[in-house]
Amino acid sequence: MCEKDKETTTMIIVLKQDAPDAQVREFCHELQDMGLQINDSKGSDTHILGLIGDTKAIAESWVLANPVVETCRRVSEPYKKANRKFHPDDSVIDVNGVKIGGGNFAVIAGPCSIESEEQITYCAQRVKDAGASLLRGGAFKPRTSPYSFQGMRSEGLDLLKLARRATGSPIVTEIMNTEHLPLFENVDLIQVGARNMQNFELLKAVGRQKKPVLLKRGLANTLEEFVMSAEYIMAEGNENVILCERGIRTFETSMRNTLDLAGVVMLHKMTHLPVVVDPSHACGHAWMVPQLAKAAVAAGADGLMIEVHNNPAKAKCDGAQSLTPDQFDELMGFITKEVEFFGKKMN
Amino acid sequence: MCEKDKETTTMIIVLKQDAPDAQVREFCHELQDMGLQINDSKGSDTHILGLIGDTKAIAESWVLANPVVETCRRVSEPYKKANRKFHPDDSVIDVNGVKIGGGNFAVIAGPCSIESEEQITYCAQRVKDAGASLLRGGAFKPRTSPYSFQGMRSEGLDLLKLARRATGSPIVTEIMNTEHLPLFENVDLIQVGARNMQNFELLKAVGRQKKPVLLKRGLANTLEEFVMSAEYIMAEGNENVILCERGIRTFETSMRNTLDLAGVVMLHKMTHLPVVVDPSHACGHAWMVPQLAKAAVAAGADGLMIEVHNNPAKAKCDGAQSLTPDQFDELMGFITKEVEFFGKKMN
Amino acid sequence: MCEKDKETTTMIIVLKQDAPDAQVREFCHELQDMGLQINDSKGSDTHILGLIGDTKAIAESWVLANPVVETCRRVSEPYKKANRKFHPDDSVIDVNGVKIGGGNFAVIAGPCSIESEEQITYCAQRVKDAGASLLRGGAFKPRTSPYSFQGMRSEGLDLLKLARRATGSPIVTEIMNTEHLPLFENVDLIQVGARNMQNFELLKAVGRQKKPVLLKRGLANTLEEFVMSAEYIMAEGNENVILCERGIRTFETSMRNTLDLAGVVMLHKMTHLPVVVDPSHACGHAWMVPQLAKAAVAAGADGLMIEVHNNPAKAKCDGAQSLTPDQFDELMGFITKEVEFFGKKMN
Amino acid sequence: MCEKDKETTTMIIVLKQDAPDAQVREFCHELQDMGLQINDSKGSDTHILGLIGDTKAIAESWVLANPVVETCRRVSEPYKKANRKFHPDDSVIDVNGVKIGGGNFAVIAGPCSIESEEQITYCAQRVKDAGASLLRGGAFKPRTSPYSFQGMRSEGLDLLKLARRATGSPIVTEIMNTEHLPLFENVDLIQVGARNMQNFELLKAVGRQKKPVLLKRGLANTLEEFVMSAEYIMAEGNENVILCERGIRTFETSMRNTLDLAGVVMLHKMTHLPVVVDPSHACGHAWMVPQLAKAAVAAGADGLMIEVHNNPAKAKCDGAQSLTPDQFDELMGFITKEVEFFGKKMN
């Protein structure tokens, strides 16, 4: 398949009309020294170079910096391991027995942050009973303000593991720093949060270990940048990446973020990786979550990530967007039927 | 219901701590002269005015311009006729016999622009056979470039009416200027396009006539601004307004716009007006339209607006986002079942 | 110069690798029938068409709709009359004796809206005395809410003309509808507001008359769309267009809009038309206006548009962003020296 | 001054009209247990709580999650150490003898990335000769693609230190991970890049050491979030923070980002920290840099950060936005005079 990658024109460069021949030749030699073939097309008035070969490592800004270049355009995608063109079948990621992708639908649920053993164990049992197959809970919390609750940190991880022991549900929790990696050895699915989507050192670190990774889209990152961040993880050897759309930043102020469900559709064309949707963070309002969850299923999501708290009014974090266990029960009743209606299999 | 509006605090004004008493008194008199009651709350260190009454006509920028004011916040919504609080039941809009809203689902389909009698009549028949209840077709086309096809204008309107005669489907088409209004007398549903969402003179003009209006959301307008534009039409006496979400402008470049399905959910809370979704303009890619249409149904849309062209590759406008009649047939087969699954009634 | 336009490759089309030859030939004939030459470059693995000729009327969406096309890119700009490439020298627009552009700097000042004869005449005199060469004042006001003050309309225009008679300053005011055009016959510079930047019927109408036009950038319009709207006016025969940057909509909430001064720099490369900056609407806070005005001069603006009100706290519109006459005096003292420092000539 | 903070209403909470008294009392007790005083204002129809005291640690989402709450608004800023209200004078940061802020202007210049000893030493000498007082150069490079040049890493840091020895200029370079901190001990000014602006663990780590920190604004972060990230560093004990505006992400595509010079003006109101501007990253086009640099000075920036490369066409990173040493010489000639014109002192 990489063969195909190598045979195709991957970048088109339009040269300036008045570019001196000597400089053009020098530029072409530079490109050839990188192992690229050049399809040179010179008309009476126009001069176009089609590059054939692996241009993934060539930045457009480098091409544009050359004085002979008028403009350039990448034709092939700058990602390979995550690219559906080279891996047409859906990837199915196995999280300790729970399958996500390729027709397998999974619901991840739990509180925004772990607050006590009672709280996390109670939530774990309720979301499991309602049909969630994975338990979420934050131990390290990224907060805009240094004065906000920063999570129970390693102690929280311990409580989350107790909840797993009690319920048997695999656990998902967020890592914020490479130095914390040893603490995550027993976590089933390691989450990289939106604010760290381009924390490249962290991406490399989770790419060098074997646990599956749930990568959330950055607040203002394009879909291509999102897939490139997955590529960072995969390029280090860990191909078990699940993408998570969680809303993007726009001018709208009535909701926390704008959920980009069209992004889910586009991601499924760009990449073979599974895509789950987090409606809770996207909108920030608990009352919107059920309807958005239904829309996400219809948009083709491979799973959902939903915040559920035993007592949202007392939650230390993001209570306004948390469902109660009873509300979650009701939602799961509908979602289970909807997943079937759309031809997928609920885990 | 307006009573309720009158009895409640509708705006909170925080005064500056060092505001001179005389100036504060003068400001209060000004507010009272507008017919407002003031709930004056002065603590040892803080001074808050709660305004009771109709503050719809008071702009926040006017309040903020007063030197005694630190900050202010509107508590009530600045719209009344469109507000669900004063009209809890869904509005059902009747477009020449086709009902939209309140559980009634309708599909509007047809080509982006009317190109010839054969083209529009053929498309009209095919979308009707597939289950669309309303026919769309552009006669006056808003185009970014003055050198692009500007539509067949009044001649196009005539052809659209011929297609209605042939099929019996009510017709929807866009108005771009108040001076064209007489030409729209026989149109069943008058569309105001995204670029004219804040063309206030046009809003007033369509508000002064009786035909229902399909109002599209501007590319970068908030949901509150969108509802305020509906309010412009309603304030002139025409309450038959259907809202249409068609994608907003964001930083993402892989799609034409970002479809805001969470906006549909929020609009249903803000207003009693029906909301339809146009996935074709939102994404700009025909292949994405079916999946987005399904997601729109699940998000609670009251209808869909979909571009269908007999031969997209030859379309004079927006061919890249048009479904073929066969693709539309297939989509409608699914949508019909999905609308039922979600408990609505297909027109 | 248009010759140059005709000889150059203006669009590059990459064909799909598996596109059937017959379909490609048909597509090429279609392009040739439009008067385009084709530079056909077929490698072992890639097939690129370089179009030579006038592709301004060809929409990229039309090209992309053809099933043989993988992707396309416009190389030349889609605008001609506004394009600096075909008109390298700065345009100088003469507004009843006041020159803007090409090293001539002009300040437009006055209240957001005309409220009474005393108000507008007083403001007119003060801004003239301070050094403004043009008087602004809104008669038709675009307001988000139908319940806000909509301007004094034609009566306001009459008062503005009285103020001109008193001071001799040419006047600038906004048009909102083609039907109002006869009322603007005596206006010196007709403003098209941000919300009407893509009201194409209005653009055509002001293009068919001879008065210079001040075109404001839409809240969420790209610079290319902005220049295309100028092109609409110019294509109808009126080349006297002045562009106005007034802030764009972003995610930031501490200011009304985000002033795009880099846009001024880019516009000066794209087009020969003069560019003025309106810091008042951009930020919405009077205290920010002086510093932003200074930055605009340094960014290369050809003029400023600044709101000045005799009593901002009583202004019927946008008081929070208006300078007092005294504040404006002080600002003009600095700006006059700064314009000279940057090598321009104050009108 | 903190006294003032404690005595003022810092948050206003509007209660729901039908909120049960018992629940409201319970909520008030909860607030009082946090050490807050409540200014309770109950009218016939409205019930407002004004909170007096330190609400920095209270998230609005927590308040909104309580079922008795209709809406809430923070009146005081959520940051304290960075807040100009509690520190009215400009902070002056000393970077190894170079002063920034409070009327002191400094230029930071150098290549995007360190490529060799010759390259960095040559650039260092040229930018110093031109008048730059600090040398920049990237050793750890955040790149969107894992296949792009990732910087020379610790070897690059060594070369940068050699260049400092040769020229005497203090050095600035970016840190990407807490684990690399020991390598930065000899760096004069540690940069936290835009993609790490909300990497809170990294912010805490640079806050726990003593070197000054240059914090770049995230691509899509509000000004308040930007100041909150500075607050993270300051809350750990390091008050030597310099802010850097480097462009935000918008819908515009002709430039890499949109430089937010109004943000510089607003930041100077919000905080006492110095603000420098990086026009190179903001626009991505070398030809725009000089004009934007001039505009930044006029907007009140306390410094500039400019990319200069010996041979932009061969640069391993961001060549398209780099000035040549000769172009930088010419720019510095103008900037030096402009800084004086605006009443500041060039370092």
Side-chain angles (χ1 to χ4, degrees):
Chain A
M1 266 174 300
C2 306
E3 302 313 301
K4 183 165 176 299
D5 188 34
K6 288 211 175 87
E7 287 166 10
T8 315
T9 292
T10 52
M11 193 183 270
I12 290 171
I13 299 174
V14 183
L15 299 177
K16 285 187 185 148
Q17 275 190 279
D18 55 359
D21 280 356
Q23 283 187 31
V24 171
R25 273 196 304 274
E26 192 198 346
F27 182 48
C28 288
H29 287 150
E30 239 180 306
L31 293 167
Q32 285 161 337
D33 288 351
M34 292 169 171
L36 297 167
Q37 275 179 267
I38 296 176
N39 186 332
D40 189 332
S41 154
K42 190 166 182 171
S44 60
D45 63 297
T46 192
H47 195 167
I48 298 171
L49 306 179
L51 303 191
I52 298 165
D54 183 359
T55 52
K56 282 197 314 297
I58 299 185
E60 277 149 285
S61 66
W62 177 80
V63 176
L64 292 169
N66 196 296
V68 302
V69 173
E70 174 74 36
T71 183
C72 80
R73 175 171 196 147
R74 196 181 290 281
V75 178
S76 66
E77 296 82 11
Y79 45 92
K80 194 174 94 181
K81 288 175 179 288
N83 198 332
R84 188 178 280 277
K85 280 195 187 149
F86 308 129
H87 187 308
D89 294 332
D90 289 345
S91 279
V92 180
I93 309 294
D94 186 308
V95 182
N96 228 339
V98 177
K99 287 185 166 50
I100 304 182
N104 302 285
F105 193 94
V107 177
I108 305 165
C112 186
S113 58
I114 300 155
E115 297 169 16
S116 70
E117 185 179 343
E118 297 67 38
Q119 177 247 13
I120 188 64
T121 310
Y122 176 78
C123 289
Q125 196 59 54
R126 289 296 305 265
V127 302
K128 189 193 174 165
D129 293 348
S133 46
L134 292 152
L135 172 66
R136 66 151 286 154
F140 294 89
K141 297 299 307 170
R143 303 300 298 275
T144 304
S145 166
Y147 309 116
S148 295
F149 175 59
Q150 306 273 315
M152 294 182 75
R153 301 176 71 93
S154 65
E155 191 190 349
L157 286 184
D158 292 340
L159 299 181
L160 189 61
K161 289 170 196 169
L162 288 180
R164 174 175 57 188
R165 195 177 304 162
T167 59
S169 301
I171 55 177
V172 189
T173 194
E174 179 170 353
I175 190 168
M176 285 176 64
N177 200 11
T178 58
E179 294 185 61
H180 301 156
L181 202 49
L183 298 169
F184 284 70
E185 232 172 62
N186 272 312
V187 167
D188 302 292
L189 176 57
I190 301 178
Q191 177 178 321
V192 173
R195 285 169 189 75
N196 281 313
M197 195 203 88
Q198 292 194 318
N199 179 340
F200 301 115
E201 297 293 317
L202 183 58
L203 297 178
K204 288 179 194 171
V206 297
R208 283 189 295 261
Q209 54 87 54
K210 292 296 163 207
K211 299 280 176 197
V213 176
L214 181 80
L215 178 66
K216 292 192 132 187
R217 181 178 181 186
L219 265 78
N221 286 107
T222 63
L223 296 169
E224 186 173 293
E225 288 169 343
F226 190 15
V227 177
M228 287 307 282
S229 286
E231 186 86 4
Y232 254 99
I233 299 170
M234 298 170 89
E236 295 289 334
N238 184 354
E239 305 213 345
N240 296 306
V241 180
I242 299 167
L243 303 173
C244 180
E245 157 62 30
R246 43 76 74 215
I248 56 173
R249 186 159 271 186
T250 67
F251 55 81
E252 177 63 40
T253 54
S254 66
M255 301 175 283
R256 182 190 266 203
N257 292 120
T258 296
L259 183 63
D260 181 12
L261 290 179
V264 175
V265 180
M266 184 57 88
L267 284 170
H268 275 139
K269 184 178 191 227
M270 297 166 78
T271 177
H272 50 88
L273 299 172
V275 183
V276 305
V277 169
D278 175 349
S280 308
H281 280 88
C283 63
H285 300 299
W287 66 267
M288 294 182 80
V289 169
Q291 192 83 53
L292 291 180
K294 294 171 192 175
V297 173
D302 300 295
L304 290 167
M305 186 165 197
I306 292 179
E307 296 206 344
V308 179
H309 193 281
N310 47 312
N311 187 353
K314 305 285 185 199
K316 291 199 172 173
C317 177
D318 283 344
Q321 72 198 34
S322 293
L323 298 186
T324 62
D326 288 352
Q327 290 167 333
F328 183 65
D329 277 349
E330 192 186 333
L331 173 60
M332 285 299 289
F334 190 95
I335 291 291
T336 303
K337 280 181 268 174
E338 188 188 359
V339 165
E340 192 185 347
F341 179 82
F342 279 93
K344 287 193 178 161
K345 188 172 161 292
M346 180 73 103
N347 259 287
Chain B
M1 265 173 301
C2 306
E3 300 315 301
K4 183 166 176 298
D5 188 34
K6 288 212 174 88
E7 286 168 10
T8 314
T9 293
T10 52
M11 193 182 269
I12 290 172
I13 299 173
V14 183
L15 299 177
K16 286 188 184 147
Q17 275 190 281
D18 55 0
D21 280 356
Q23 283 186 33
V24 171
R25 272 196 305 274
E26 191 197 346
F27 182 49
C28 288
H29 287 150
E30 239 179 305
L31 293 166
Q32 285 160 338
D33 288 351
M34 293 169 171
L36 297 167
Q37 275 180 266
I38 296 176
N39 186 333
D40 189 333
S41 155
K42 191 166 181 173
S44 61
D45 62 299
T46 192
H47 196 168
I48 298 171
L49 306 179
L51 303 190
I52 297 165
D54 183 358
T55 52
K56 279 197 314 298
I58 300 185
E60 277 149 285
S61 66
W62 176 81
V63 176
L64 292 169
N66 196 297
V68 302
V69 174
E70 173 74 36
T71 183
C72 80
R73 175 170 198 149
R74 196 181 290 282
V75 179
S76 65
E77 296 82 11
Y79 44 92
K80 194 174 93 180
K81 287 175 180 288
N83 198 332
R84 189 178 280 277
K85 281 195 189 149
F86 308 130
H87 187 309
D89 294 331
D90 289 345
S91 279
V92 180
I93 310 295
D94 186 308
V95 183
N96 228 339
V98 177
K99 287 185 165 51
I100 304 182
N104 302 286
F105 193 94
V107 177
I108 305 165
C112 186
S113 59
I114 300 156
E115 297 169 16
S116 69
E117 186 180 343
E118 297 68 36
Q119 177 246 14
I120 188 65
T121 310
Y122 177 78
C123 289
Q125 196 59 55
R126 289 296 307 264
V127 302
K128 187 191 177 171
D129 293 349
S133 47
L134 291 152
L135 172 65
R136 64 152 287 156
F140 294 88
K141 297 299 307 170
R143 303 300 297 274
T144 304
S145 166
Y147 308 116
S148 295
F149 175 59
Q150 306 274 314
M152 293 182 75
R153 302 176 69 94
S154 65
E155 190 189 349
L157 286 184
D158 292 339
L159 299 181
L160 189 61
K161 288 170 197 167
L162 288 180
R164 174 175 56 189
R165 195 175 306 163
T167 58
S169 301
I171 55 177
V172 189
T173 193
E174 180 170 352
I175 190 167
M176 284 176 63
N177 200 10
T178 58
E179 294 184 61
H180 302 156
L181 203 50
L183 298 169
F184 284 70
E185 231 171 66
N186 271 313
V187 166
D188 301 292
L189 177 57
I190 300 178
Q191 177 178 322
V192 174
R195 285 170 189 75
N196 281 315
M197 194 202 89
Q198 292 194 317
N199 179 340
F200 300 115
E201 296 293 318
L202 183 58
L203 297 177
K204 288 179 195 171
V206 297
R208 281 189 298 262
Q209 55 86 55
K210 293 294 163 210
K211 299 280 177 196
V213 177
L214 181 81
L215 178 66
K216 291 192 133 188
R217 181 178 180 186
L219 264 77
N221 287 107
T222 63
L223 296 168
E224 187 174 293
E225 288 169 342
F226 189 15
V227 177
M228 288 306 283
S229 285
E231 187 84 5
Y232 254 99
I233 299 169
M234 298 170 88
E236 294 289 333
N238 184 354
E239 306 214 346
N240 295 308
V241 181
I242 299 168
L243 302 174
C244 180
E245 158 62 29
R246 43 78 71 215
I248 56 172
R249 186 159 270 186
T250 67
F251 55 82
E252 177 63 40
T253 54
S254 65
M255 302 174 284
R256 182 190 267 202
N257 293 120
T258 296
L259 184 63
D260 182 11
L261 290 179
V264 175
V265 180
M266 184 58 89
L267 284 170
H268 275 140
K269 183 176 192 228
M270 297 166 77
T271 178
H272 51 88
L273 298 172
V275 183
V276 305
V277 170
D278 175 349
S280 309
H281 279 88
C283 63
H285 301 298
W287 67 268
M288 294 182 78
V289 170
Q291 192 83 53
L292 291 179
K294 294 170 192 176
V297 173
D302 300 294
L304 290 167
M305 185 164 198
I306 292 179
E307 295 205 345
V308 179
H309 193 281
N310 48 311
N311 187 352
K314 305 286 185 197
K316 291 199 173 174
C317 176
D318 284 344
Q321 73 198 31
S322 293
L323 297 186
T324 62
D326 288 352
Q327 290 168 332
F328 184 65
D329 278 349
E330 191 186 333
L331 173 60
M332 286 299 290
F334 191 95
I335 291 290
T336 304
K337 279 180 270 175
E338 189 187 358
V339 165
E340 192 185 348
F341 179 81
F342 279 94
K344 287 193 177 160
K345 188 173 161 291
M346 180 73 103
N347 258 289
Chain C
M1 266 173 301
C2 305
E3 301 315 301
K4 184 166 176 297
D5 187 35
K6 287 212 176 85
E7 286 167 11
T8 315
T9 293
T10 52
M11 193 183 270
I12 290 171
I13 299 173
V14 182
L15 299 177
K16 286 187 184 148
Q17 275 189 280
D18 55 0
D21 280 357
Q23 283 188 31
V24 171
R25 273 196 304 272
E26 193 197 345
F27 182 50
C28 288
H29 288 149
E30 240 180 306
L31 293 166
Q32 285 161 336
D33 289 350
M34 293 169 170
L36 298 166
Q37 275 179 267
I38 297 176
N39 186 333
D40 189 333
S41 154
K42 191 167 181 170
S44 60
D45 61 297
T46 192
H47 195 167
I48 298 171
L49 306 178
L51 303 190
I52 298 165
D54 183 358
T55 52
K56 281 199 313 298
I58 299 186
E60 278 149 285
S61 66
W62 176 81
V63 176
L64 291 169
N66 196 295
V68 302
V69 174
E70 174 74 37
T71 183
C72 79
R73 177 174 195 143
R74 195 181 291 282
V75 178
S76 65
E77 296 81 12
Y79 44 91
K80 194 174 93 182
K81 287 175 180 289
N83 198 333
R84 189 178 280 275
K85 281 194 188 150
F86 308 129
H87 187 308
D89 293 333
D90 288 345
S91 280
V92 180
I93 309 294
D94 186 308
V95 183
N96 228 340
V98 177
K99 288 185 166 50
I100 304 182
N104 301 286
F105 193 93
V107 177
I108 306 166
C112 186
S113 58
I114 300 155
E115 297 170 16
S116 70
E117 185 179 342
E118 296 67 36
Q119 176 247 14
I120 187 66
T121 310
Y122 177 78
C123 288
Q125 196 58 55
R126 290 295 306 264
V127 302
K128 188 190 176 169
D129 293 348
S133 46
L134 291 152
L135 171 66
R136 64 152 288 156
F140 294 89
K141 296 300 307 171
R143 304 299 299 273
T144 305
S145 167
Y147 309 116
S148 294
F149 175 58
Q150 306 274 314
M152 293 183 75
R153 301 175 72 92
S154 65
E155 191 189 349
L157 287 183
D158 292 340
L159 299 181
L160 189 62
K161 289 169 197 168
L162 288 180
R164 174 176 56 189
R165 195 175 307 164
T167 58
S169 301
I171 55 176
V172 189
T173 193
E174 179 170 354
I175 190 168
M176 285 176 63
N177 200 11
T178 58
E179 294 185 60
H180 302 156
L181 202 49
L183 298 169
F184 284 70
E185 232 171 64
N186 271 313
V187 166
D188 302 293
L189 176 58
I190 301 178
Q191 177 178 323
V192 174
R195 285 169 190 76
N196 281 314
M197 193 203 88
Q198 293 195 317
N199 180 340
F200 301 116
E201 297 293 317
L202 183 58
L203 296 178
K204 288 179 195 171
V206 297
R208 282 188 297 261
Q209 55 86 54
K210 292 296 163 208
K211 299 281 176 197
V213 177
L214 181 81
L215 177 66
K216 292 193 133 188
R217 181 178 181 186
L219 266 78
N221 286 107
T222 63
L223 296 169
E224 186 174 294
E225 288 169 343
F226 189 16
V227 177
M228 288 306 283
S229 286
E231 186 85 5
Y232 254 98
I233 299 169
M234 298 170 89
E236 295 288 333
N238 184 354
E239 306 213 347
N240 295 308
V241 181
I242 299 167
L243 303 174
C244 180
E245 158 61 30
R246 42 78 71 216
I248 56 172
R249 187 159 269 187
T250 68
F251 55 83
E252 178 62 40
T253 54
S254 66
M255 302 174 284
R256 182 190 266 202
N257 292 121
T258 296
L259 184 62
D260 182 11
L261 291 179
V264 175
V265 180
M266 185 58 89
L267 284 169
H268 275 139
K269 183 177 192 228
M270 297 166 77
T271 178
H272 51 87
L273 299 172
V275 183
V276 305
V277 169
D278 174 350
S280 308
H281 279 88
C283 63
H285 301 298
W287 67 267
M288 295 181 79
V289 169
Q291 191 83 54
L292 292 180
K294 294 171 192 176
V297 173
D302 300 294
L304 289 167
M305 186 165 198
I306 292 180
E307 296 205 344
V308 179
H309 193 281
N310 48 312
N311 188 352
K314 304 287 185 198
K316 291 199 173 175
C317 177
D318 284 343
Q321 73 199 32
S322 293
L323 298 186
T324 61
D326 289 352
Q327 290 167 332
F328 184 66
D329 278 349
E330 191 186 335
L331 173 61
M332 286 300 289
F334 191 95
I335 292 290
T336 303
K337 279 179 271 173
E338 189 187 358
V339 165
E340 192 185 348
F341 179 82
F342 279 94
K344 288 194 176 159
K345 187 173 162 291
M346 180 72 104
N347 258 289
Chain D
M1 265 171 300
C2 306
E3 301 314 301
K4 183 166 178 295
D5 187 35
K6 288 211 175 88
E7 287 167 11
T8 315
T9 293
T10 52
M11 193 182 269
I12 290 172
I13 299 174
V14 183
L15 299 177
K16 287 188 184 147
Q17 276 189 282
D18 55 0
D21 280 356
Q23 283 186 33
V24 171
R25 272 196 304 274
E26 192 197 346
F27 182 50
C28 288
H29 287 150
E30 241 178 305
L31 294 166
Q32 285 161 336
D33 288 351
M34 293 169 171
L36 297 166
Q37 277 180 264
I38 296 176
N39 186 332
D40 190 333
S41 155
K42 189 166 183 172
S44 59
D45 62 299
T46 192
H47 196 166
I48 297 171
L49 305 179
L51 302 191
I52 298 165
D54 183 0
T55 52
K56 281 197 313 298
I58 299 185
E60 278 149 283
S61 66
W62 176 81
V63 176
L64 292 169
N66 196 296
V68 303
V69 173
E70 175 74 35
T71 183
C72 80
R73 176 173 197 145
R74 196 182 291 281
V75 178
S76 65
E77 295 82 12
Y79 44 92
K80 194 173 92 180
K81 288 174 179 290
N83 198 334
R84 188 178 281 275
K85 280 195 189 148
F86 308 129
H87 188 308
D89 293 332
D90 289 345
S91 280
V92 179
I93 309 294
D94 186 309
V95 182
N96 227 340
V98 177
K99 287 186 166 49
I100 304 182
N104 301 286
F105 193 93
V107 177
I108 305 166
C112 185
S113 58
I114 300 155
E115 297 169 16
S116 70
E117 185 179 342
E118 297 68 36
Q119 176 247 13
I120 188 65
T121 310
Y122 176 78
C123 289
Q125 195 60 53
R126 290 295 306 264
V127 301
K128 188 190 175 167
D129 293 349
S133 47
L134 290 153
L135 171 66
R136 63 151 287 154
F140 294 88
K141 297 299 308 172
R143 303 300 298 274
T144 305
S145 166
Y147 309 115
S148 295
F149 175 59
Q150 306 274 314
M152 292 183 76
R153 301 176 70 92
S154 65
E155 191 190 348
L157 287 184
D158 291 340
L159 298 182
L160 189 62
K161 289 169 196 169
L162 288 181
R164 173 176 56 189
R165 195 175 307 161
T167 60
S169 301
I171 55 176
V172 189
T173 193
E174 180 172 352
I175 190 168
M176 285 176 62
N177 199 12
T178 58
E179 294 185 61
H180 302 155
L181 202 49
L183 298 168
F184 284 71
E185 230 171 66
N186 271 313
V187 166
D188 302 292
L189 176 58
I190 301 178
Q191 177 179 322
V192 173
R195 286 170 189 75
N196 280 314
M197 193 202 89
Q198 292 194 319
N199 180 340
F200 301 115
E201 297 293 317
L202 183 59
L203 297 177
K204 288 179 195 171
V206 297
R208 281 189 298 261
Q209 55 86 56
K210 293 294 162 211
K211 299 279 176 197
V213 177
L214 181 81
L215 179 65
K216 291 192 132 186
R217 181 177 180 186
L219 265 78
N221 286 107
T222 63
L223 296 169
E224 186 174 294
E225 288 169 342
F226 189 16
V227 177
M228 287 306 283
S229 285
E231 186 85 5
Y232 254 98
I233 298 169
M234 298 170 90
E236 295 288 333
N238 184 354
E239 307 213 345
N240 295 307
V241 180
I242 299 167
L243 302 174
C244 180
E245 158 61 30
R246 41 78 72 215
I248 55 172
R249 186 159 269 186
T250 68
F251 56 82
E252 177 63 39
T253 55
S254 65
M255 302 174 283
R256 181 189 267 202
N257 292 121
T258 296
L259 183 63
D260 182 12
L261 290 179
V264 175
V265 179
M266 184 58 87
L267 284 169
H268 276 139
K269 183 176 193 229
M270 297 166 76
T271 178
H272 51 88
L273 298 172
V275 183
V276 305
V277 170
D278 175 349
S280 309
H281 280 89
C283 64
H285 301 297
W287 66 266
M288 295 182 78
V289 169
Q291 192 83 53
L292 292 179
K294 294 172 192 174
V297 173
D302 300 294
L304 291 167
M305 186 166 198
I306 292 179
E307 296 206 344
V308 179
H309 193 282
N310 48 312
N311 187 351
K314 305 285 185 198
K316 291 199 172 174
C317 177
D318 284 342
Q321 73 198 31
S322 293
L323 297 185
T324 62
D326 288 353
Q327 290 167 333
F328 183 66
D329 277 349
E330 191 187 334
L331 173 60
M332 286 299 290
F334 190 95
I335 292 290
T336 303
K337 280 181 270 175
E338 188 188 358
V339 165
E340 193 185 347
F341 179 81
F342 279 94
K344 287 194 178 160
K345 187 174 162 291
M346 179 73 102
N347 258 287

